[in-house]
Amino acid sequence: VVLASYRYLKNPIGLIKAINSMDNEERNRFVINWYGNHLISNEGSKCYDEAINLINQYNLKNVILLNKQTQTPYEIIKESDFVALFSRVEGLPNTICEAMFIGKPIIMTKISDYNVLVDETNGYLCDWNDIISIKKAILKVSRLSEKEIIEKGYNSSKKANNLFSIIRILNSWNEII
């Protein structure tokens, strides 16, 4: 699952092109559900419209599903196997942090604090501007056993609790003060 607005900086176009570069057997291993706002003030629905056109052009309607923004992100994350973010720019990615707390493995581009949030124990990294890199990360995920997915999710949860626990935050503030 991807929880991000339909904006060029969130990279739905790169994701679609990466999926299109796969053969049918590879594509049949997964479904990606993207949830987000498609009406962005300065872009309008331009990116969303382009994404829909590419999905139709590449015949990917059963592989990548573009959904409206959800009011229940926790439920969506909880039901997913992996949570992904393919952005070219981020601050601290809330969706990734929330997914880690819930115990989900991650696919994330090498942006922001990626090196603190994701490593081989809890997910996979890729380059936002490299469709082959995105493709490889998705294919790695699609080949994991259920046991391996659960283990990576457990590691995400453990990492999130270490990074964002109230005790750690209070200790950090005490060190600053």
Side-chain angles (χ1 to χ4, degrees):
V1 72
V2 178
L3 293 156
S5 59
Y6 298 104
R7 296 174 12 188
Y8 288 108
L9 67 92
K10 299 295 184 175
N11 202 23
I13 305 306
L15 173 61
I16 293 165
K17 289 179 178 180
I19 293 169
N20 185 54
S21 72
M22 298 175 189
D23 64 38
N24 285 331
E25 182 182 323
E26 292 169 331
R27 284 187 212 139
N28 288 333
R29 293 185 190 155
F30 61 88
V31 172
I32 296 176
N33 273 286
W34 186 305
Y35 292 86
N37 185 351
H38 70 283
L39 294 174
I40 302 302
S41 59
N42 63 340
E43 292 179 12
S45 65
K46 186 177 177 187
C47 183
Y48 177 81
D49 296 340
E50 183 177 344
I52 290 289
N53 288 336
L54 285 174
I55 288 169
N56 290 333
Q57 177 184 338
Y58 299 150
N59 196 24
L60 299 174
K61 292 179 208 173
N62 296 324
V63 181
I64 182 163
L65 309 171
L66 303 185
N67 303 284
K68 292 181 180 179
Q69 184 174 358
T70 180
Q71 299 301 314
T72 58
Y74 174 80
E75 294 301 320
I76 300 294
I77 293 170
K78 199 168 93 173
E79 296 300 317
S80 69
D81 291 322
F82 261 78
V83 174
L85 193 62
F86 301 99
S87 302
R88 66 178 163 96
V89 176
E90 282 291 336
L92 182 64
N94 291 337
T95 298
I96 297 301
C97 296
E98 292 162 359
M100 289 172 65
F101 261 119
I102 294 171
K104 295 300 175 177
I106 305 299
I107 300 174
M108 182 176 165
T109 48
K110 295 175 188 172
I111 54 161
S112 178
D113 295 317
Y114 76 89
N115 56 344
V116 175
L117 299 172
V118 180
D119 59 34
E120 67 281 346
T121 67
N122 72 322
Y124 297 99
L125 295 167
C126 56
D127 298 309
W128 74 269
N129 61 345
D130 182 348
I131 63 170
I132 300 303
S133 177
I134 294 170
K135 172 185 174 177
K136 286 179 180 178
I138 294 169
L139 291 177
K140 285 178 185 176
V141 166
S142 74
R143 294 180 181 120
L144 292 176
S145 68
E146 186 175 340
K147 180 182 176 191
E148 291 169 314
I149 292 170
I150 290 168
E151 184 178 320
K152 285 190 181 297
Y154 172 77
N155 291 335
S156 271
S157 180
K158 196 164 95 174
K159 187 177 273 213
N161 283 312
N162 288 335
L163 289 170
F164 308 118
S165 72
I166 291 173
I167 292 170
R168 180 170 181 170
I169 292 169
L170 290 174
N171 288 338
S172 295
W173 275 108
N174 281 331
E175 287 176 20
I176 292 171
I177 295 172

